[in-house]
Amino acid sequence: MVLAAERTPAIRRTRRLRRTTALRSLVRETRLDPRSFVLPVFIDANTAAEAPIASMPGQSRWPVSAAGSLAERAMEAGVGGLLVFGLPDEKDDEGRAAADPLGPVAGALRAMRAAAPEAVLIADVCLCEYTTHGHCGVLRNGSVDNDATLPLLADAAVAYAEAGADIVAPSDMMDGRVAAIRRALDERGLDTAIVSYAAKFASSFYGPFRDAADCAPQFGDRAGYQMDPANGREALLECAIDLEEGADALMVKPAGPYLDVIAAARARFDVPIAAYQVSGEYAALQAAAARGWLDLRRSALESLTSIARAGADITITYFALEAATWLRE
Ligand SMILES: [Zn+2]
């Protein structure tokens, strides 16, 4: 045994508080809470039954008829809310089906609201699932026309608000969309909040989502409107602009590769900060776990803890239901 007198006196001993499980739990700085998770769901007008998504194990496209029970399941798990994406039965050049009050998103919102009145329902607002070309706005001379896209986004946001969304979340990255949507909602007396995808990067981690939502661009890419992954300061400018335009909360997407942006947004702005752990982050952990290279539960919870530690108040994650179960155990 080493006597106290023999120990080096000058060392600062941080290990004392790591000695037992109970001590570590007492001094833990970040605790995950399922109520801060949001589950993304894909509602597909073209399917009559659950259709599993190959590149996102455990995730599926669902018919509108399943929306109510999805919301019930999320509420039973203690998850904070659902984020709804839609796949329409018909696409056109201008993505007009996005604003269809009988489309998959509006239909799902009504069913979810009826089945789970307390659920926080968030509707993604974009055109890419609804356009034949897969871009997030309307095209003119081969590129996305920012200002011509704004009224179409506003129409979609109004349709979702009227169908029962608590929050609309524009993900298109057009300039001026938050102001256009806020104005359209206000004109109709709709008190729906806006969580803007303020810092949405042109990321390679969206690959599996594009399979899921059938929205890959048919030509070119989205670098002309989504942000350059190299730009952190510009992300804060995007956040500031969206706040000025009337956003109630801000989102950073993806989450894991952009923890510095989450932390910087948290430090600078006093509104809630959301982070979207995207399909590629989810698929990477699932793929490694399937090969036995990672422990899924530990790596998923560690990734979610890191996003919360960086400063996210809300985490949108495909792990929402599973992680809620893990956290209860
Ligand atoms: Zn889009």
Side-chain angles (χ1 to χ4, degrees):
M1 191 184 144
V2 180
L3 296 174
E6 296 172 44
R7 301 180 76 186
T8 312
I11 296 175
R12 282 198 59 181
R13 298 188 186 274
T14 49
R15 286 182 53 193
R16 287 181 194 121
L17 293 177
R18 292 178 207 147
R19 199 169 50 79
T20 68
T21 304
L23 276 168
R24 290 191 293 273
S25 173
L26 182 70
V27 301
R28 186 156 297 135
E29 297 176 28
T30 306
R31 295 177 200 275
L32 291 178
D33 184 340
R35 289 172 295 185
S36 68
F37 296 157
V38 170
L39 175 70
V41 294
F42 300 99
I43 305 296
D44 188 349
N46 307 292
T47 184
E50 176 181 1
I53 301 162
S55 53
M56 300 175 71
Q59 305 299 312
S60 298
R61 299 178 184 183
W62 300 89
V64 174
S65 60
S69 59
L70 281 172
E72 284 172 347
R73 243 168 74 191
M75 291 304 98
E76 277 161 23
V79 166
L82 299 105
L83 172 61
V84 184
F85 295 89
L87 291 87
D89 52 6
E90 268 184 59
K91 302 187 182 212
D92 65 23
D93 282 356
E94 300 202 322
R96 291 195 178 273
D100 182 358
L102 301 177
V105 170
L109 289 168
R110 282 191 296 270
M112 288 174 169
R113 180 57 71 220
E118 305 300 314
V120 173
L121 302 180
I122 309 172
D124 181 87
V125 177
C126 198
L127 301 186
C128 53
E129 295 108 300
Y130 303 90
T131 52
T132 43
H133 45 74
H135 278 285
C136 300
V138 295
L139 298 180
R140 192 168 55 188
N141 303 325
S143 71
V144 172
D145 184 331
N146 190 92
D147 294 15
T149 301
L150 300 181
L152 296 164
L153 294 167
D155 287 349
V158 166
Y160 306 153
E162 288 178 338
D166 298 291
I167 296 171
V168 289
S171 61
D172 51 283
M173 290 300 280
M174 297 301 116
D175 292 329
R177 80 274 175 72
V178 173
I181 289 171
R182 184 72 267 159
R183 201 177 315 117
L185 293 170
D186 287 348
E187 279 169 8
R188 289 160 184 82
L190 292 163
D191 230 359
T192 315
I194 300 175
V195 177
S196 72
Y197 290 68
K200 181 176 179 180
F201 291 88
S203 173
S204 58
F205 286 87
Y206 302 149
F209 177 95
R210 289 177 187 170
D211 294 344
D214 185 26
C215 64
Q218 298 304 302
F219 66 92
D221 57 30
R222 296 185 173 130
Y225 39 104
Q226 295 178 352
M227 284 192 57
D228 184 335
N231 291 4
R233 291 190 299 270
E234 187 190 359
L236 298 181
L237 174 62
E238 287 282 4
C239 289
I241 293 170
D242 283 6
L243 274 182
E244 271 171 37
E245 291 187 17
D248 299 284
L250 301 167
M251 195 196 301
V252 176
K253 180 182 181 181
Y258 298 88
L259 294 180
D260 60 319
V261 177
I262 296 171
R266 169 72 296 146
R268 182 150 337 164
F269 304 107
D270 292 326
V271 295
I273 303 293
Y276 197 144
Q277 183 181 50
V278 302
S279 59
E281 299 177 75
Y282 175 83
L285 295 186
Q286 289 282 1
R291 286 161 178 74
W293 295 346
L294 279 178
D295 178 295
L296 184 65
R297 175 178 172 149
R298 288 187 57 203
S299 56
L301 288 176
E302 183 177 333
S303 69
L304 293 169
T305 300
S306 300
I307 294 163
R309 191 195 63 236
D313 304 291
I314 302 162
T315 302
I316 298 159
T317 174
Y318 299 98
F319 287 115
L321 293 178
E322 231 169 349
T325 307
W326 291 331
L327 291 170
R328 260 203 320 274
E329 285 167 7

